[in-house]
Amino acid sequence: MTRRSPLMLQIVTGDPRPIVRQIGDGIKRLIASGDLAAGAALPSVRGLAQQLSINPNTVAKAYAELTAEGWVHARTGLGLFVAEQRQRLSDAERGRRLDEAVDRFVSDVIGLDYPAETVVERVAGELAHYATGRKSA
Amino acid sequence: MTRRSPLMLQIVTGDPRPIVRQIGDGIKRLIASGDLAAGAALPSVRGLAQQLSINPNTVAKAYAELTAEGWVHARTGLGLFVAEQRQRLSDAERGRRLDEAVDRFVSDVIGLDYPAETVVERVAGELAHYATGRKSA
Amino acid sequence: MTRRSPLMLQIVTGDPRPIVRQIGDGIKRLIASGDLAAGAALPSVRGLAQQLSINPNTVAKAYAELTAEGWVHARTGLGLFVAEQRQRLSDAERGRRLDEAVDRFVSDVIGLDYPAETVVERVAGELAHYATGRKSA
Amino acid sequence: MTRRSPLMLQIVTGDPRPIVRQIGDGIKRLIASGDLAAGAALPSVRGLAQQLSINPNTVAKAYAELTAEGWVHARTGLGLFVAEQRQRLSDAERGRRLDEAVDRFVSDVIGLDYPAETVVERVAGELAHYATGRKSA
DNA sequence: GTGGTCTAGACCACG
DNA sequence: GTGGTCTAGACCACT
């Protein structure tokens, strides 16, 4: 139950997001989708770095951010484990971040000339993978 | 048609997007919403720079990108004008960018723990302000 | 008002806290005490690194954490600025962190054999420097 | 007096403190609160390790630190016993540690935006559970 | 000039 | 073995 199997993670060089963010986003999704349950062990810094052929420091940085944001917690000498999820941000802050994300998304998409329904459906489809209120899968 | 009135544009220092992008996004929005019709003239580089109190180089760079992406075109000695509507990006490129934007959006929102419907409604609401689908099709 | 004067910051090699944390804590205090008002510019990464005779990456890391926690925000090409303060954490999370801090503090102090009043007075004295609800100075 | 009953100790995996420290802090608290009187025997290294389901090395290290700090003393062939109350640290050292603890505590709490009185009351409340001041003075 | 990212390699405490 | 910290030096985008 705490075995460290290779994660379903891959970094894409073409992706404009920095590697650190790709790792962070990827793991957040695995947690949100329930593929990584609370208490599960993450791959070691060195292990994941080797698996992805990147520098261990880059992985460590991504892990540090996930730790700071409360997604995982480190037990020195043992490794990283998925934390219990809990509401860390104030409602006001959550609202601000939603606004920001929506705003940016609209800016990104507005020039692509897709019908609004198409865009909305794509978003809805993606979000469907992640249960409301997380990990109800 | 070609008068150069001050654009309804403003840069926000708190915005995480670089200024170049804020200008580009802003003008794309004005075009998409119809506030800037095809054939309309854009403010001069110096004029807009002064209006927004930013470096003219920054405006010039934003304009260069809009030109490269086909949103506007330069008429030597006259200035920049909003281009006639046409397919600016290949379908493949459009699809790729949609994917990218959706992906990023989902990553941004996933930790906020909002019900999917809430998020989808917000996006739909924002998109409703702009032209739905391609106008010159 | 946005001038970058040398900060009242110093790192102590004997301090058990890592340098990154000393910098972060120091700046948080300067902000909390009002010495660094919202909108004020922080010293540049390279500048502070030189001033403290440490590696720029170390400063950058400290700054990145402050940014992630919302104390400051970066404007690429311009520098870092003190952010408007706002309630980012949920009440539950704030409570958890208070509990944790108190718990740790008691553990640290319990063996030193000081009268409780002495300890409490020291804490009260230190906290008095930082106005309730921040920057009311 | 010297019977070796199971200690009222537990390690918490979620606790940010390393296990070594949790053990040390826990025993110090038991001594400070009087639950472990001077002369009382501590559980054996192997026994406590088994009770807490942790590595004996970890317990041994914690015991070594307690011994070095003068909290307990070893009687060869018999085990560890709580030391008679005496000045374990120099005044300078005690003062330094108090400063350090207060400093760290203030840094931890400063961003949580609680009124100073609230924080002070919490500290006072926690400290009240333990002996106020040195007991054998 | 500014901050942000990435690599490489070192040392530490912890289990 | 684990994660955490620090240094050194490089390249990038932005102003």
Side-chain angles (χ1 to χ4, degrees), chain C residues 16-17 21 25 28-29 32 71 87 89 91 94-95 97-116 119-120 122-124 126-127 130 132-134, chain D residues 16-17 21 25 28-29 32 71 89 91 94-95 97-117 119-120 122-124 126-127 130 132-134:
Chain C
R17 289 175 302 170
R21 203 172 193 286
D25 285 351
K28 283 182 196 173
R29 292 197 178 202
W71 291 87
Q87 195 62 49
L89 298 175
D91 289 346
R94 289 167 68 220
R97 298 198 181 189
L98 215 211
D99 289 346
E100 213 174 76
V102 170
D103 223 58
R104 159 153 202 153
F105 178 64
V106 170
S107 288
D108 284 342
V109 158
I110 202 66
L112 298 179
D113 217 20
Y114 280 103
V119 175
V120 170
R122 289 277 281 104
V123 170
E126 281 296 317
L127 286 176
Y130 308 97
T132 323
R134 284 176 203 157
Chain D
R17 291 174 301 172
R21 199 170 193 289
D25 285 348
K28 287 182 193 173
R29 284 201 178 197
W71 289 86
L89 296 170
D91 284 349
R94 289 168 65 227
R97 295 203 185 186
L98 215 212
D99 289 347
E100 209 169 275
V102 171
D103 216 58
R104 159 151 201 154
F105 177 65
V106 170
S107 290
D108 283 344
V109 160
I110 208 170
L112 299 179
D113 212 24
Y114 279 105
E117 310 90 57
V119 176
V120 171
R122 291 276 281 102
V123 171
E126 282 297 316
L127 285 174
Y130 304 95
T132 53
R134 49 195 85 178

